[in-house]
DNA sequence: GTAGAACCTACCGCTGACGTCAGGTGCAAG
DNA sequence: CTTGCACCTGACGTCAGCGGTAGGTTCTAC
């Protein structure tokens, strides 16, 4: 698959795919002419990246845990990082939930006024 | 209260407080010498900002909904914005939850391997 | 009245995940 | 063989929420 196909199928831009490679997240082979050639798994991998990006993980962290995904094993360091990230995400969810409650308060207060 | 006091009490930097003013979130009065003078409610307001920032609301949105908080009423436009933000936050929570599940999978898979 | 902490404005710097050129090359179709 | 789209590298631009610095002023304490 060429880069445009991966982009269309995964829903990210061509630029983003080149950026992911720059960050060490994708390692496509090259055609004799120098064009990137992606395997079938590339689309799923990109969707996986998007999920983690959406949870606030930076490229570095994603790159660090790719070996875990590929080998199915973790070093002590990787487990520590995974735990830290999971903790961070849980806290984030709490903060989002709290903020949501604050916005709800505003809505409810305004609704009461109108009632 | 002067800016340093507000900073210490609310846990944000002096620089951040000046930034909030620049964004129209705080409107302290000025002393004859030109120094910012904050009311007692400033600390709570800043904590409120932090909560919303933590949920991914940009300064603009926060500025837009401050009138709602102060007056306890909302215009149709403001209600639409509030609904959109609440929706966005709920989706974000879903995405965070999904990402958390993915990380959990990795941890569990690695744990199984070790077992 | 003077030291020094706290304040002021103005401005440049940083990070991250890309967007957006510019200028050149690869490749499939007719 | 040429059209023309897709691709390439390299490099600068963007946005948000501040951090940090420079150079000068105000306020508080003694």
């Amino acid at each position: 698959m060429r880069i445009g196909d991966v982009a269309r199928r995964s829903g990210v831009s061509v630029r983003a795919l080149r950026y992911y490679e720059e960050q060490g997240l994708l390692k496509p082979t090259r055609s004799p002419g120098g064009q990137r050639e992606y395997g079938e798994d590339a689309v799923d991998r990109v969707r996986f990246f998007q999920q983690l990006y959406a949870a606030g993980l930076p490229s570095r962290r994603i790159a660090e845990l790719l070996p875990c995904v590929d080998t199915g094993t973790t070093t002590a360091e990787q487990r520590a990082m995974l735990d830290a990230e999971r903790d961070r995400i849980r806290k984030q969810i709490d903060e989002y939930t709290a903020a949501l409650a604050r916005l709800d308060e505003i809505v409810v207060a305004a609704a009461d006024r109108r009632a």
Side-chain angles (χ1 to χ4, degrees), chain A:
Chain A
M1 248 189 316
R2 301 203 310 185
I3 198 168
D5 302 320
V6 180
R8 268 182 300 277
R9 290 221 254 156
S10 60
V12 308
S13 70
V14 166
R15 178 66 179 89
L17 293 175
R18 290 200 268 251
Y19 175 74
Y20 298 160
E21 182 178 357
E22 202 178 303
Q23 301 302 308
L25 303 182
L26 290 175
K27 283 158 191 156
T29 58
R30 297 294 182 124
S31 78
Q35 302 201 348
R36 292 170 178 83
E37 190 59 32
Y38 296 86
E40 284 301 321
D41 55 334
V43 175
D44 282 345
R45 268 177 112 75
V46 169
R47 294 212 180 104
F48 178 58
F49 298 158
Q50 289 295 106
Q51 263 196 332
L52 297 184
Y53 276 131
L57 276 85
S59 301
R60 285 183 57 97
R61 295 280 167 244
I62 302 179
E64 282 170 24
L65 60 80
L66 273 186
C68 311
V69 178
D70 292 339
T71 68
T73 62
T74 52
T75 67
E77 203 180 343
Q78 287 167 340
R79 278 191 295 277
M81 187 269 276
L82 279 164
D83 283 349
E85 285 299 333
R86 289 195 297 168
D87 240 55
R88 192 188 56 74
I89 293 175
R90 277 190 282 263
K91 282 179 188 165
Q92 278 289 313
I93 291 177
D94 287 347
E95 290 181 6
Y96 271 71
T97 305
L100 191 53
R102 298 304 298 265
L103 293 188
D104 286 347
E105 280 172 32
I106 299 175
V107 172
V108 169
D112 287 350
R113 279 277 180 130
R114 279 186 298 148

